[in-house]
Amino acid sequence: MVTQKNRDIRLKSRPVGLPTLDNFELVEGEIPHLGSGQILVRNLFMSVDPYMRGRMMDRKSYVPPFQIGEVLQGGAVGKVMVSNGNGEFAAGDYVLGMDGWREWFVSSGAGLQKVDPAIAPIQAYLGALGMPGLTAYAGLLRVGELKKTDRVFVSAASGAVGAVVCQIARNKGCEIVVGSAGTDEKCAYLTQELGCTAAINYRDCGDLGAALADAMPGGVDVYFDNVGGSHLTAALDNMNTFGRIVACGMIEIYNATEPPRGPYNLANIVGRSLTMRGFIVLNHLDMLPAFQRDMGEWIAAGKMTWRETILDGIERAPEALIGLFKGDNFGKMLVKLAEENGG
Ligand SMILES: NC(=O)c1ccc[n+]([C@@H]2O[C@H](COP(=O)([O-])OP(=O)(O)OC[C@H]3O[C@@H](n4cnc5c(N)ncnc54)[C@H](OP(=O)(O)O)[C@@H]3O)[C@@H](O)[C@H]2O)c1
């Protein structure tokens, strides 16, 4: 019998600028009642992702905004503790779904998928083997139309998406792959462990455009943009003719309180015949089988690695989300909610 309480995190107020801990509320309550045919799941890991900042604002987007007073949502991996006659899920199964920001939940199983802990640690399904990994894969290969002769620049390159992008580019035969990140330690990781040919610490490199020109004297064919703003400006000045810009994210402006100034050099798109294309990973789920096949092969061949920053306890989830905008994470940012046995 389950005797614990359930805790969840709710949106208390909408942030202005960088969120603060005051924007969140930790609420303790009862574990939901388990009905016939349902499963009771103990979340073990939950994800925090930059897009969640957008959902904290009351505006129309590709996902609806979080509502004040309601439990937040996001990716989580949990373990089925009790199955009350559910035909699909049994006690002991590990499941991936969008019921994060809470310790326990009851479900019919709709929207959940089983994950196999024998293939990788379960939290990897929130990172390299999950949504961020697929974002890297679809963004680089389909949206960026990567060719092995391309010279590739990646921003936020040590993060969940960026680290996978760097390695896919190398695995696909690209000889010049340059990443940018916010610390020397992250930059060393890019060159020593992810196969980047050079790395730029954007915080202390001076003029980012000049640093990029130094790091990639032959110019950039594909820019995988996780940052926008100053990084996009720097990339535009270094793009080769017919280059492609993959607009994956623009984290530099997610907390802006004033309309951000656009890159002043968009005319490069005309003069250099560039293509800039945005995308949302949810529109590329058809690539999941190919992604899983390729990732499985790369992992087995020792050609895909990742890092995680894990904070302990649901009460630290707000801190984890805020940390994404300060570069507190090295690799995928996760929150651990319970031990594998559910305790
Ligand atoms: N299009 C899609 O479907 C999709 C899906 C997933 C993610 N994304 C986007 O992909 C990007 C990366 O997401 P992720 O989940 O992999 O996060 P992440 O890279 O693991 O974490 C965010 C990182 O961004 C960097 N950063 C934060 N503020 C910055 C700033 N002002 N300038 C430069 N770098 C900054 C920090 O690293 P440093 O220490 O290096 O600064 C931080 O660690 C985000 O823009 C996200 O919105 C898009």
Side-chain angles (χ1 to χ4, degrees):
M1 198 175 95
V2 175
T3 54
Q4 286 157 283
K5 293 277 184 188
N6 186 26
R7 293 185 300 165
D8 60 45
I9 305 269
R10 302 177 187 205
L11 182 65
K12 191 171 163 195
S13 56
R14 298 200 185 277
V16 178
L18 183 68
T20 65
L21 296 179
D22 290 340
N23 297 130
F24 303 85
E25 186 178 22
L26 179 69
V27 175
E28 187 175 292
E30 299 302 319
I31 291 172
H33 174 74
L34 181 65
S36 173
Q38 292 185 316
I39 52 175
L40 175 65
V41 180
R42 176 68 159 117
N43 272 332
L44 303 180
F45 288 92
M46 59 165 272
S47 176
V48 289
D49 299 274
Y51 78 88
M52 292 171 176
R53 175 65 183 88
R55 293 192 72 183
M56 295 177 86
M57 290 192 270
D58 192 12
R59 64 167 189 199
K60 196 162 178 269
S61 184
Y62 62 95
V63 274
F66 294 136
Q67 297 301 319
I68 290 177
E70 288 189 4
V71 185
L72 301 178
Q73 287 175 321
V77 175
K79 187 175 187 180
V80 178
M81 304 306 286
V82 184
S83 177
N84 190 10
N86 185 282
E88 205 179 339
F89 298 100
D93 284 347
Y94 292 95
V95 290
L96 170 68
M98 286 298 290
D99 300 281
W101 296 92
R102 69 208 76 192
E103 293 180 318
W104 297 84
F105 68 95
V106 154
S107 168
S108 65
L112 295 178
Q113 63 183 88
K114 281 185 208 175
V115 293
D116 185 351
I119 295 174
I122 49 168
Q123 69 271 23
Y125 294 95
L126 298 170
L129 291 184
M131 183 276 282
L134 180 63
T135 301
Y137 188 87
L140 191 60
L141 301 183
R142 177 180 278 168
V143 182
E145 298 178 4
L146 187 79
K147 300 190 290 287
K148 69 177 181 190
T149 50
D150 285 332
R151 295 158 192 263
V152 181
F153 175 49
V154 186
S155 54
S158 72
V161 174
V164 179
V165 173
C166 294
Q167 294 174 90
I168 294 176
R170 294 294 278 142
N171 292 346
K172 289 286 183 181
C174 299
E175 286 180 8
I176 309 285
V177 179
V178 173
S180 71
T183 67
D184 289 344
E185 197 191 353
K186 289 179 179 179
C187 285
Y189 172 65
L190 295 180
T191 52
Q192 290 166 17
E193 293 183 49
L194 300 190
C196 288
T197 37
I200 301 169
N201 181 342
Y202 70 89
R203 289 186 198 274
D204 75 356
C205 68
D207 181 323
L208 182 57
L212 183 54
D214 280 349
M216 301 185 80
V220 179
D221 298 306
V222 173
Y223 170 43
F224 195 102
D225 190 12
N226 286 316
V227 171
S230 52
H231 270 79
L232 178 56
T233 305
L236 279 165
D237 278 340
N238 283 280
M239 296 301 296
N240 290 330
T241 303
F242 300 123
R244 285 91 71 207
I245 297 174
V246 180
C248 175
M250 300 204 171
I251 197 166
E252 186 178 299
I253 62 169
Y254 291 175
N255 294 302
T257 51
E258 301 287 333
R261 278 192 302 175
Y264 61 84
N265 53 356
L266 284 174
N268 281 316
I269 292 178
V270 181
R272 302 182 191 205
S273 300
L274 305 179
T275 303
M276 180 167 174
R277 189 176 158 204
F279 75 106
I280 294 297
V281 63
L282 297 175
N283 296 323
H284 298 274
L285 297 181
D286 60 298
M287 294 188 83
L288 207 46
F291 163 72
Q292 287 167 339
R293 181 201 63 220
D294 284 349
M295 287 295 274
E297 285 176 15
W298 289 327
I299 291 168
K303 292 162 80 177
M304 183 59 64
T305 180
W306 58 85
R307 283 202 185 193
E308 295 158 345
T309 296
I310 301 176
L311 302 194
D312 262 314
I314 194 167
E315 63 279 7
R316 297 193 70 189
E319 176 191 341
L321 178 61
I322 295 166
L324 290 173
F325 305 103
K326 301 191 289 187
D328 290 350
N329 57 311
F330 199 143
K332 175 66 194 146
M333 184 71 108
L334 295 164
V335 184
K336 185 173 178 179
L337 303 183
E339 298 300 330
E340 294 241 346
N341 62 9

